[in-house]
């Protein structure tokens, strides 16, 4: 008689750093683990709520922090796989479990007895003798319960539960529709001639992509998550450029337009139920921005100079093209021509200097070593969730262990597009856990034995996402509630944007930008020209970003009871109102593939990238003022900001680090908007 294997989620992992036992995990383990995990946490929450003992910080708040251990384990692994390596079985579980998880959260936060205990502690908080982090945790729990509807009457809570379930279901459907549409919209080409202008390695990667996707002998350009695809800057064939951009802009039209409208209506109704004028007002009240007026004022201030900058760029494009009009599918192509003519920069010439492994080890890891004293040891003995994923053990300067970093860099049909960081194990002194984090990118995988050559945009993305990873790795908090990147949404992009500075820092760039065949460093004059050329295009980049941010804002500032109507018409009207109806510059994300805001938690929060960039640009100036890449600087930034997670007010942490409130001047100068 054989014993049925135990579900690997049912007990903590015995692997180093509690790395999930991926070799043992199967799709059939997820649903039972979710169900047991939810049942266990509900029982734990009910025991806290019904305790005969008077509420104390330890028997209520700490007990809540310790609850749900199994649910955390399975959720961290599952939602990473749902994004990184999905399949029909995983998608079926996701569709089933998303509304059930929403109901589970409601069951805890709408538990009147449990809220009563939290509220009693909150009212007496000043006399509890709590340390700063514990006091903040109590305050944040109280805020979370109230924002989740704990004070609503029973009928209001009933409707809130319905809304949360509907929103969870619609968000999952939006993501799964987009995943299928993005794969289906990949551009299949019959001949390498149609790819004229792309580098030889990029053409080879398109052929390999065709082979992997079942189009032997053809060339396939899979789509990234944003509107303007990388290849548009190089493809000589104008018709192919148009087909590629049309495929990108058309994603989600069949079903996601209706879902976007539904999500906007449901969120607006939920916000009104909770006492807010709009979903945006509900969201920003708990962010560093605090008010919709503050966000609107900042975004509106940036639009006129950004559009003027883009118009100047358009004039340069028309001059080099010899035409009187630049279409959207022409912009990137002629931008590269301007860079070539004005700065003698050719993206294809630069790619051989950006080989993935060298950029990672001699660039990203090297910078982290210089600034923070970190060391990285690859651990091929540790199994990840996919053969492409690499595992690195991270150590401090004194040799002490810090955590694990997983790098999942290649695109595949089972991965959603874009780049992101996930946490597989959250750092917490209370739970005795060190961090395990993962970065996901979508770099085209070359044929076996061929080098992986990157565009500079992909290099920058590698540094950016590693900034998120550092935020998770450097966490030094007691409570999992505050671990790593669990900070306000309009603050979370700040550390990752700061880390981008090292991609072009002279000592770092010289260390990794070496020709993959000859080992020769990138010529110094090419570096200087690259930096100058990068400034050309700030108008385009700012306009496409602001268009997406204000599109998100338009969807999520509608009042309850508003029907936004047809998604394409709503989008066109919103962009016209914002002064961003620029046909040659589509929004970075159109509504029907704007997964950030309709599936991934950035609703009424896409403004956060430029909001965080104010802090980022100011911090880059701080590093420069203090001598740049010095361990002393890294130690201060780590200690005062990166280690704090959400355990202190984010802007207070910035002020403690910078010595003052943030200033917008460095951002305006960086983007040519001053």
């Amino acid at each position: 008689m054989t014993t049925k294997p135990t579900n690997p989620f049912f007990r903590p992992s015995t692997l180093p750093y509690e790395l999930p036992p991926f070799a043992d995990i199967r799709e059939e383990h997820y649903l039972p683990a979710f169900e047991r995990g939810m049942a266990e946490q509900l029982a734990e929450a009910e025991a806290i709520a019904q305790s005969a003992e008077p509420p104390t910080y330890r028997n209520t708040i700490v007990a809540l922090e310790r609850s749900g251990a199994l649910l955390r384990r399975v959720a961290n692994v599952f939602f990473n796989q749902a994004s990184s390596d999905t399949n029909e079985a995983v998608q079926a579980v996701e569709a089933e479990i998303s509304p059930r998880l929403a109901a589970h959260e409601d069951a805890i936060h709408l538990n009147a007895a449990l809220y009563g205990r939290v509220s009693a502690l909150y009212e007496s908080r000043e006399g509890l003798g709590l340390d700063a982090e514990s006091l903040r945790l109590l305050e944040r729990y109280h805020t979370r319960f109230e924002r989740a509807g704990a004070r609503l009457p029973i009928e209001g809570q009933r409707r809130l539960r319905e809304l949360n379930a509907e929103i969870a279901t619609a968000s999952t459907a939006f993501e799964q529709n987009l995943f299928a549409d993005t794969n289906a919209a990949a551009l299949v080409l019959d001949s390498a001639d149609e790819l004229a202008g792309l580098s030889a390695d990029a053409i080879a990667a398109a052929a390999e992509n065709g082979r992997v996707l079942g189009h032997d002998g053809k060339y396939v350009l899979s789509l990234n998550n944003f509107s303007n695809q990388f290849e548009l800057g190089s493809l000589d064939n104008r018709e192919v450029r148009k087909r590629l951009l049309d495929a990108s802009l058309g994603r989600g039209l069949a079903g996601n337009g209706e879902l976007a409208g539904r999500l906007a209506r449901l969120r607006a109704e939920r916000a009104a139920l909770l006492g807010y004028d709009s979903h945006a007002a509900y969201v920003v009240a708990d962010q560093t921005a605090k008010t919709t007026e503050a966000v609107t004022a900042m975004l509106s201030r940036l639009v006129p100079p950004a559009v003027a900058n883009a118009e100047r760029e358009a004039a340069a494009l028309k001059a080099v093209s010899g035409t009187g009009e630049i279409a959207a599918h022409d912009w990137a192509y002629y931008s590269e021509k301007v860079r070539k003519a004005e700065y003698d920069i050719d993206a294809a010439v630069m790619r051989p200097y950006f080989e993935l492994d060298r950029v990672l080890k001699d660039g990203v890891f090297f910078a982290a070593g210089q600034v923070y004293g970190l060391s990285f040891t690859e651990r091929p003995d540790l199994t990840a969730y996919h053969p492409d994923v690499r595992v690195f053990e991270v150590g401090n300067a004194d040799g002490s262990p810090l955590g694990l970093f997983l790098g999942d860099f290649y695109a595949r049909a089972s991965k959603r597009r874009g780049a992101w960081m996930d946490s597989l194990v959250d750092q917490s002194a209370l739970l005795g856990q060190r961090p395990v984090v993962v970065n996901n990118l979508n770099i085209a995988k070359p044929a076996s034995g061929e080098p992986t050559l990157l565009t500079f945009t992909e290099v920058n993305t590698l540094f950016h996402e590693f900034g998120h990873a550092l935020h998770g790795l450097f966490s030094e908090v007691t409570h999992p509630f505050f671990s790593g990147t669990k900070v306000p949404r309009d603050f979370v992009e700040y550390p990752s944007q700061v880390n981008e500075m090292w991609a072009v820092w002279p000592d770092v760039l010289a260390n990794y930008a070496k020709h993959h065949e000859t080992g020769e460093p990138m010529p110094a004059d090419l570096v200087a020209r690259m930096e100058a050329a990068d400034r050309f295009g700030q108008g385009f980049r700012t306009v496409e970003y602001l268009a997406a941010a204000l599109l998100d804002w338009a969807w999520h500032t509608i009042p309850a009871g508003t029907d936004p109507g047809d998604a394409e018409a709503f989008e066109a009207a919103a962009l016209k109102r914002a002064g961003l109806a620029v046909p040659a510059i589509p929004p970075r994300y159109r509504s029907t593939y704007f997964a950030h805001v309709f599936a991934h938690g950035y609703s009424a929060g896409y403004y956060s990238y430029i909001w965080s960039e104010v802090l980022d640009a100011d911090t880059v100036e701080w590093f420069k003022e203090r001598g740049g890449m010095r361990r002393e600087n890294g130690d201060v930034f780590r200690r005062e900001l990166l280690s704090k997670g959400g355990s202190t007010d984010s802007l207070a942490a910035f002020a403690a680090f910078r010595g003052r409130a943030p200033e917008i001047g460095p951002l305006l100068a960086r983007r040519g908007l001053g």
Side-chain angles (χ1 to χ4, degrees):
M1 177 179 174
T2 58
T3 304
K4 185 177 180 180
T6 303
N7 190 309
F9 290 111
F10 287 173
R11 61 179 182 273
S13 170
T14 59
L15 293 172
Y17 303 90
E18 296 187 31
L19 176 72
F22 291 111
D24 301 326
I25 294 171
R26 304 288 181 270
E27 280 85 0
E28 60 266 25
H29 294 139
Y30 286 127
L31 192 56
F34 269 121
E35 290 175 338
R36 182 185 288 193
M38 288 188 290
E40 285 183 3
Q41 189 174 33
L42 287 179
E44 291 163 340
E46 190 61 21
I48 297 167
Q50 300 304 322
S51 172
E53 298 293 324
T56 66
Y57 176 77
R58 183 159 296 279
N59 73 17
T60 301
I61 304 302
V62 174
L64 281 170
E65 278 292 90
R66 289 187 179 278
S67 72
L70 168 56
L71 187 57
R72 273 196 300 272
R73 285 197 297 273
V74 64
N76 283 352
V77 173
F78 175 79
F79 286 108
N80 178 71
Q81 181 171 351
S83 295
S84 303
D85 191 25
T86 194
N87 55 43
E88 289 184 0
V90 169
Q91 289 185 330
V93 173
E94 187 180 23
E96 177 175 348
I97 207 65
S98 293
R100 293 175 64 179
L101 286 171
H104 173 75
E105 291 293 319
D106 286 339
I108 293 174
H109 294 130
L110 302 181
N111 183 318
L114 191 56
Y115 171 63
R117 291 176 73 88
V118 172
S119 187
L121 289 169
Y122 176 78
E123 294 300 327
S124 61
R125 63 192 181 282
E126 299 301 336
L128 297 179
L130 300 176
D131 62 62
E133 183 179 331
S134 298
L135 178 60
R136 181 168 172 80
L137 183 66
L138 170 56
E139 291 171 345
R140 293 303 300 160
Y141 260 101
H142 184 258
T143 298
R144 176 176 284 187
F145 271 83
E146 296 211 329
R147 284 175 59 80
R151 297 180 64 182
L152 287 176
I154 296 299
E155 184 58 26
Q157 290 189 3
R158 181 196 64 77
R159 179 56 183 154
L160 183 65
R161 292 173 193 264
E162 293 174 349
L163 288 168
N164 286 338
E166 289 183 57
I167 289 168
T169 298
S171 294
T172 300
F174 187 100
E175 169 68 11
Q176 293 188 356
N177 285 352
L178 178 57
F179 178 82
D181 264 20
T182 299
N183 281 343
L187 186 62
V188 181
L189 300 167
D190 295 325
S191 165
D193 292 343
E194 295 175 281
L195 296 175
L198 295 189
S199 63
D201 69 283
I203 294 173
E208 174 65 11
N209 195 31
R211 185 192 67 78
V212 170
L213 296 177
H215 299 284
D216 285 345
K218 297 193 176 184
Y219 301 80
V220 177
L221 300 179
S222 291
L223 300 179
N224 282 290
N225 58 334
F226 37 76
S227 297
N228 277 281
Q229 303 299 303
F230 290 132
E231 297 86 356
L232 290 171
S234 302
L235 288 166
D236 290 332
N237 187 315
R238 190 168 191 255
E239 180 59 28
V240 172
R241 294 200 304 270
K242 185 176 187 306
R243 288 170 58 195
L244 181 61
L245 185 59
D246 286 349
S248 178
L249 298 179
R251 284 172 291 169
L253 289 176
N256 279 358
E258 188 276 330
L259 283 170
R262 187 194 310 173
L263 281 162
R265 291 194 304 273
L266 293 170
R267 288 167 173 168
E269 182 183 348
R270 180 175 63 182
L273 190 61
L274 293 167
Y276 293 87
D277 293 337
S278 66
H279 178 67
Y282 169 76
V283 168
V284 300
D286 203 39
Q287 305 298 311
T288 67
K290 300 303 181 187
T291 68
T292 55
E293 290 79 11
V295 175
T296 300
M298 182 189 181
L299 295 178
S300 299
R301 173 183 178 179
L302 298 176
V303 169
V307 171
N309 200 352
E311 288 173 347
R312 288 191 292 272
E313 292 170 5
L317 302 187
K318 291 174 184 176
V320 79
S321 72
T323 67
E325 180 183 358
I326 296 293
H329 52 273
D330 295 324
W331 191 293
Y333 182 75
Y334 286 110
S335 290
E336 290 302 318
K337 298 297 184 187
V338 169
R339 291 188 178 96
K340 176 67 174 173
E342 297 292 326
Y343 307 102
D344 195 20
I345 284 291
D346 186 337
V349 172
M350 294 168 61
R351 281 172 64 93
Y353 293 98
F354 301 140
E355 190 274 323
L356 172 60
D357 206 53
R358 179 164 270 161
V359 175
L360 178 67
K361 293 180 177 179
D362 296 343
V364 174
F365 290 172
F366 171 77
Q370 294 295 301
V371 181
Y372 305 109
L374 300 187
S375 62
F376 300 85
T377 303
E378 192 151 10
R379 294 288 304 269
D381 57 309
L382 296 179
T383 301
Y385 56 86
H386 187 279
D388 284 345
V389 183
R390 302 165 68 180
V391 182
F392 297 86
E393 185 169 12
V394 188
N396 287 304
D398 62 4
S400 61
L402 182 59
L404 292 179
F405 168 73
L406 281 67
D408 186 354
F409 303 121
Y410 289 118
R412 51 182 171 267
S414 61
K415 183 192 284 191
R416 72 171 169 89
R417 302 305 188 263
W420 65 96
M421 170 266 194
D422 268 334
S423 178
L424 296 173
V425 179
D426 296 326
Q427 179 274 331
S428 165
L430 177 70
L431 304 179
Q433 293 178 329
R434 292 194 178 101
V436 178
V437 301
V438 55
N439 275 172
N440 270 276
L441 276 72
N442 267 279
I443 299 165
K445 191 173 184 179
S448 179
E450 294 299 313
T452 303
L453 304 182
L454 310 182
T455 65
F456 185 70
T457 298
E458 289 170 326
V459 170
N460 202 62
T461 300
L462 197 61
F463 277 86
H464 176 98
E465 294 305 328
F466 194 72
H468 285 305
L470 288 174
H471 203 181
L473 287 166
F474 283 153
S475 180
E476 293 182 23
V477 300
T478 300
H479 304 97
F481 191 104
F482 295 134
S483 184
T485 58
K486 294 178 182 176
V487 297
R489 179 63 70 188
D490 57 10
F491 191 83
V492 75
E493 295 298 332
Y494 159 49
S496 57
Q497 290 170 329
V498 168
N499 205 60
E500 294 176 24
M501 71 184 289
W502 306 122
V504 293
W505 198 261
D507 291 347
V508 180
L509 189 65
N511 202 57
Y512 75 81
K514 298 179 180 179
H515 198 284
H516 73 98
E517 291 179 336
T518 68
E520 290 295 313
M522 179 182 282
D525 65 323
L526 179 55
V527 174
R529 297 197 309 273
M530 180 181 75
E531 292 178 336
D534 190 57
R535 289 190 285 274
F536 178 83
Q538 284 290 353
F540 174 89
R541 289 192 290 273
T542 306
V543 166
E544 72 160 359
Y545 165 76
L546 289 173
L550 284 161
L551 190 54
D552 166 34
W553 207 238
W555 281 109
H556 292 114
T557 50
I558 64 170
T562 302
D563 181 0
D566 176 76
E568 290 187 272
F570 179 89
E571 178 178 301
L575 293 175
K576 184 176 181 180
R577 256 192 332 271
L580 289 163
V582 184
I585 308 180
R588 185 164 175 82
Y589 302 96
R590 294 192 64 192
S591 303
T592 55
Y593 50 91
F594 207 166
H596 279 76
V597 304
F598 291 119
H600 297 153
Y602 272 76
S603 59
Y606 197 67
Y607 76 89
S608 64
Y609 285 92
I610 206 156
W611 189 271
S612 294
E613 196 179 343
V614 173
L615 311 181
D616 152 38
D618 205 356
T619 299
V620 170
E621 292 303 306
W622 178 90
F623 270 96
K624 291 178 178 178
E625 290 164 5
R626 295 169 61 96
M629 181 170 274
R630 299 171 62 232
R631 272 292 308 282
E632 297 93 324
N633 293 342
D635 288 345
V636 171
F637 191 48
R638 175 178 178 174
R639 181 180 66 250
E640 298 295 336
L641 202 140
L642 296 178
S643 68
K644 301 293 186 182
S647 66
T648 189
D649 177 82
S650 295
L651 290 183
F654 178 88
F657 152 69
R658 188 65 169 102
R660 58 164 172 74
E663 296 178 354
I664 197 172
L667 166 70
L668 298 178
R670 173 191 287 181
R671 286 189 173 257
L673 303 177

